[in-house]
Structure formats: structure tokens, C-alpha cells
Amino acid sequence: MSKRSSGAAGFSLAGIVETKKQNTISSTASHSSSAASKNPFLSRPVQPEDAIKIFLSSARSAARQNIPKGVSLPISKPFCEIEARIGVLKSPMGLREMRVLPSGPKRVNMRGKNVIANAFDCSAASNPMLKNRPCKFENGITKTHCTNWTAAGLSDTSSISSAFGVTDASHVKRDLVEKELVETVFAGYPTNNRVCFPGDHKINSAGKDTGKRGCMENKSKLTTMDVALPAAAYDLRLNLSTERTLDHSVIEPPRGWSTRRLKRRRSYTRRDQSFAWQLDVTEVTTNDVQTSASASTS
């Protein structure tokens, strides 16, 4: 998990999702406003930027209500983080898993006008029509998108550089910073704890001390917003979470873990720190205790 402040966070959709041209598909993909009364996921249209503003406001309130005991104001060390993950929202209803909304822009009644909505708030907690049945979220992007977005690195402009406002190839290395991280995470403990080791950590069956130390952490989600983006390739899940370090010197993960994840991450930030967020592209290889390895990119 990336360690970043949950302070004045933001998120740019430009360059992160591939939006289909509305002028070529709106005639075949538009929906009447009456569809919203039948499909609960169409009942809360919202502009993407407004959705993020609403979430940041609720996240600030939730963070204030969950300040750890013993922490005095002003807070100098972050105790929570905001993540914006891209993936696909799956409907909790129906006989088989499907994306909450079919691809293409949707025409709905918004503030008394029949308009095309590019985003919908699908959060179960704020939508009585969903009756607290949260969407499933399939985290990650395709290998093709991962390659297309990261192949240029810091040598040329790309979707990633555009997300940070850098469109001149000669300014990419000057304005952006790229960092690489390899981390092994043992998760699945019933208490939501996890153990993180630097590098590719293998279980030491001989019981010898290799000198490497891991950290046992506890991560708890405070608030979540699901945003469906039917005109884009992916949807969005926003999370506010707290992380606490329980043990800084773990030699080997204790028994009880069920999943081993090897994370290879590239993180991008602006060198002048004028943007409040960082962008992570992570390739994750997962080994469950009783299953074979699988890989995903997020």
C-alpha cells in the first residue's frame, strides 16, 4: 500500500480512463429518464468532479471523527489515506456478475433537464434503492492499458504525464518523479491485519533469521464512494482508510495468513509537489494458500 497523505487530496480523470466519443454513440446509447426508476444505479447522476468533491468533504468529516487517541492538534503525521482505484463495478443483483451500467453515455433527467450524464454515484450507503447491497469491485486494468500508459516512462509524454499537467516532452523529466517499489504482503488474517516485507520475501521454513524485518499493519476503511463511469473503460472506487503499525520488527509472518501478494509498483508525483496526490501503477501477483498464482495490474 502506498503511504501518502490524505490531506488536500485530488484526482484527475484526464488521461486515466479512455472516454468514448459521445458524438458517435449517443444516438444508440442514450436512455430515457424513466430508466432511472427501474435501475437503481441510474438514480444518482453526478458530474465526476462533483462526485470527488462530495467524497473529499465526507472524508474530511470522517477523518475528524476518527482521530487516534493521544493525537493532539495540529496533526503533523498523517494517520489515514485516500485512495482512488480504477476497475469495474459489478452489480450485486442478478443471476450473473455484470458491470453495473452498460457501456456508453446515459441520458437522464438532471436538475430538470434531459442531459447526458457521464457518472453515477453507486454507493450503497447513500442510496436507499440499493438497500445496503454494495457493488462488487473488480480492481485493476488490462495489461494493454498498463503498457500503453507506462511504456514511455519519463522519456516522453503519456497519459500519466498529462494527468499531472505535463504536455511538453522536454519537461517530463524535469517536472515528474518516478519511483519503483517491490513489496511482499501477507494478508487474510481475520483481524484485517497484514504483514509487509520489502522485496520478494519467501517464507523461511528453516527458521533462520535472514535479517529482513517486516511490519504488521492494520488497515480499516472509514468511508467509500463508488462512481460508475459508463462512457469510460473503467469505474472508480474512492476509499478513506486508516493504517496503524502494530509491530515494526516482524521476522516471519505469523500463522493465519491466507494470501501472499507480490507487488511491483511504479509511483509518479510532481517534483514541485504542487499536486496533492501520487499515481501508482502496481502489478500484483497473488498466491493463495490452496490455489495457484494469479496476476493483476492496478
Side-chain angles (χ1 to χ4, degrees):
M1 179 59 62
S2 60
K3 307 295 188 273
R4 53 188 178 275
S5 171
S6 66
F11 192 79
S12 174
L13 296 178
I16 305 302
V17 293
E18 295 182 351
T19 305
K20 298 179 181 178
K21 294 182 180 179
Q22 295 182 3
N23 60 347
T24 61
I25 60 174
S26 60
S27 61
T28 58
S30 61
H31 281 234
S32 66
S33 59
S34 61
S37 62
K38 300 178 181 179
N39 188 337
F41 301 112
L42 287 172
S43 63
R44 297 174 65 88
V46 63
Q47 294 299 333
E49 295 81 2
D50 291 340
I52 294 172
K53 291 177 183 178
I54 293 170
F55 177 78
L56 291 177
S57 178
S58 64
R60 180 176 59 183
S61 299
R64 287 174 173 173
Q65 295 171 5
N66 289 273
I67 297 176
K69 293 181 179 180
V71 175
S72 58
L73 299 177
I75 297 174
S76 58
K77 184 179 180 180
F79 65 91
C80 57
E81 68 172 6
I82 287 177
E83 289 181 312
R85 294 177 176 267
I86 55 177
V88 177
L89 287 169
K90 298 292 189 67
S91 173
M93 297 171 282
L95 298 178
R96 58 191 178 96
E97 288 190 353
M98 298 179 63
R99 193 175 181 185
V100 292
L101 295 175
S103 299
K106 304 293 180 282
R107 187 173 293 278
V108 298
N109 189 295
M110 195 172 182
R111 297 174 183 175
K113 297 182 179 179
N114 194 269
V115 299
I116 291 178
N118 292 313
F120 296 84
D121 181 358
C122 296
S123 307
S126 59
N127 190 340
M129 295 179 67
L130 293 176
K131 300 178 180 179
N132 283 325
R133 298 177 66 185
C135 301
K136 298 179 181 179
F137 186 70
E138 188 174 296
N139 185 47
I141 60 178
T142 65
K143 190 69 174 180
T144 300
H145 283 152
C146 178
T147 301
N148 291 342
W149 295 345
T150 61
L154 297 186
S155 62
D156 200 355
T157 56
S158 64
S159 297
I160 289 177
S161 66
S162 297
F164 287 98
V166 181
T167 56
D168 189 329
S170 63
H171 294 170
V172 174
K173 288 186 177 180
R174 183 196 71 181
D175 294 343
L176 299 184
V177 177
E178 180 186 57
K179 294 182 180 180
E180 294 190 9
L181 171 72
V182 179
E183 182 182 44
T184 306
V185 179
F186 296 89
Y189 293 100
T191 54
N192 289 327
N193 291 351
R194 63 185 186 181
V195 181
C196 305
F197 286 90
D200 185 357
H201 184 81
K202 302 290 195 307
I203 295 293
N204 184 5
S205 58
K208 296 181 180 180
D209 188 349
T210 61
K212 289 185 178 180
R213 294 293 185 269
C215 289
M216 177 169 283
E217 302 174 341
N218 180 272
K219 182 174 182 178
S220 300
K221 293 182 180 180
L222 299 181
T223 184
T224 298
M225 173 182 277
D226 289 331
V227 182
L229 303 168
Y234 300 104
D235 303 312
L236 190 65
R237 170 165 283 185
L238 305 170
N239 284 320
L240 171 70
S241 304
T242 61
E243 288 188 0
R244 295 183 298 118
T245 299
L246 306 177
D247 189 344
H248 292 273
S249 185
V250 178
I251 298 176
E252 287 294 333
R255 293 182 179 180
W257 62 272
S258 60
T259 302
R260 177 186 182 272
R261 297 197 297 266
L262 178 62
K263 298 182 177 182
R264 302 182 186 275
R265 172 176 294 155
R266 290 183 182 182
S267 298
Y268 301 87
T269 57
R270 279 196 64 105
R271 194 177 300 276
D272 59 8
Q273 297 183 345
S274 59
F275 281 38
W277 66 84
Q278 75 178 33
L279 193 154
D280 296 336
V281 181
T282 309
E283 183 176 356
V284 182
T285 302
T286 301
N287 288 93
D288 294 333
V289 174
Q290 297 179 344
T291 61
S292 57
S294 62
S296 65
T297 307
S298 59

